[in-house]
Amino acid sequence: MTDTDHPYVFPPAPVTALPVRGSDARFPVRRIYCVGRNYAEHAREMGHDPDREPPFFFQKNPDDLFFGETRWPYPPATDDVHHEIELAMALSAGGQDIDPADVPAMVFGYAVALDMTRRDLQGIAKKAGRPWEVGKAFACSAPIGALVPATAIGHPAAGRIALSVNGQIRQEGDLAQMIWSPVEIVATLSRLFTLAPGDLILTGTPAGVGPVVRGDRLAGSVEGVGALEIEVV
């Protein structure tokens, strides 16, 4: 049976597809995986020991992506929204139990992204032992720039990652400071999920996360990948 054998109850949602720098083609997004506390200093500022914790993951929804605009809407039901600058990697192939040596050939490209977080709601969920979705997976919670093909920039393993708010540096680090490299992240994820083309992975944030308010202007960058700017409205 195919989708065309029966009518839909209502029209399906359009596919979320990211722009690709230097191309008219777009990258269709299947799932978004996020890595928690993947920079040692950020793990410490959140009250955790980075030397003892294996990688852990949470998800956002494809339609949580925010791109093509700069005026970012402050979300409802919160008074404490935090910024987290990240390197995003996009897969053009997938599988299970992937060998780390095979990962680079599976990566389509990279982008600059933000994991915006309703920190107050996340904190409540943590204390209650509940999932984080209410704090992490809300509309527009993942601002992202255009994808840059790996064929154009290679696979960044080092380079400055930074975020400023109103011209003042808030977050600054180096991709080489990741506890688990992008290759290790994909290999680990593939033991937990069957990865597939279209999967997007946010690889963690350096120290310095903090709140934003309406009127703030955020400018993030990853060396060799690009930049991303939004205004909180």
Side-chain angles (χ1 to χ4, degrees), residues 18-49:
L18 295 175
V20 177
R21 186 181 302 173
S23 173
D24 292 332
R26 298 175 76 85
F27 180 89
V29 179
R30 174 180 176 263
R31 292 181 181 171
I32 304 173
Y33 298 98
C34 304
V35 186
R37 297 191 291 264
N38 195 28
Y39 287 75
E41 289 304 313
H42 174 58
R44 293 188 183 100
E45 77 177 347
M46 300 302 288
H48 298 271
D49 184 345

Side-chain angles (χ1 to χ4, degrees), residues 22-230:
S23 173
D24 292 332
R26 298 175 76 85
F27 180 89
V29 179
R30 174 180 176 263
R31 292 181 181 171
I32 304 173
Y33 298 98
C34 304
V35 186
R37 297 191 291 264
N38 195 28
Y39 287 75
E41 289 304 313
H42 174 58
R44 293 188 183 100
E45 77 177 347
M46 300 302 288
H48 298 271
D49 184 345
D51 297 324
R52 294 184 178 178
E53 293 187 333
F56 75 94
F57 306 94
F58 57 93
Q59 292 188 35
K60 292 178 182 279
N61 304 302
D63 58 1
D64 293 336
L65 290 167
F66 177 83
F67 56 94
E69 301 179 55
T70 58
R71 291 171 57 82
W72 185 79
Y74 196 95
T78 181
D79 295 311
D80 191 23
V81 176
H82 283 207
H83 56 73
E84 300 188 16
I85 184 70
E86 312 216 0
L87 171 71
M89 59 190 307
L91 301 185
S92 56
Q96 289 181 301
D97 298 317
I98 297 168
D99 189 311
D102 296 331
V103 171
M106 300 171 56
V107 179
F108 171 79
Y110 299 87
V112 183
L114 286 165
D115 167 18
M116 302 300 285
T117 302
R118 294 192 285 202
R119 192 72 75 200
D120 46 359
L121 300 188
Q122 183 194 29
I124 292 170
K126 284 182 178 181
K127 289 180 181 178
R130 295 172 180 168
W132 290 8
E133 278 81 4
V134 68
K136 290 287 191 177
F138 55 91
C140 302
S141 62
I144 190 168
L147 286 171
V148 184
T151 53
I153 61 170
H155 299 282
R160 183 175 183 262
I161 177 171
L163 180 95
S164 66
V165 178
N166 302 323
Q168 300 296 314
I169 292 293
R170 289 267 192 94
Q171 292 185 262
E172 188 171 22
D174 194 285
L175 298 178
Q177 296 169 340
M178 288 187 189
I179 299 170
W180 306 284
S181 70
V183 165
E184 293 169 326
I185 289 168
V186 172
T188 301
L189 264 176
S190 74
R191 294 196 291 270
L192 300 170
F193 302 94
T194 300
L195 300 180
D199 286 345
L200 195 67
I201 302 169
L202 273 59
T203 57
T205 194
V209 300
V212 299
V213 298
R214 291 174 179 84
D216 281 348
R217 294 179 178 270
L218 282 62
S221 63
V222 176
E223 184 178 341
V225 177
L228 173 65
E229 295 186 9
I230 62 170

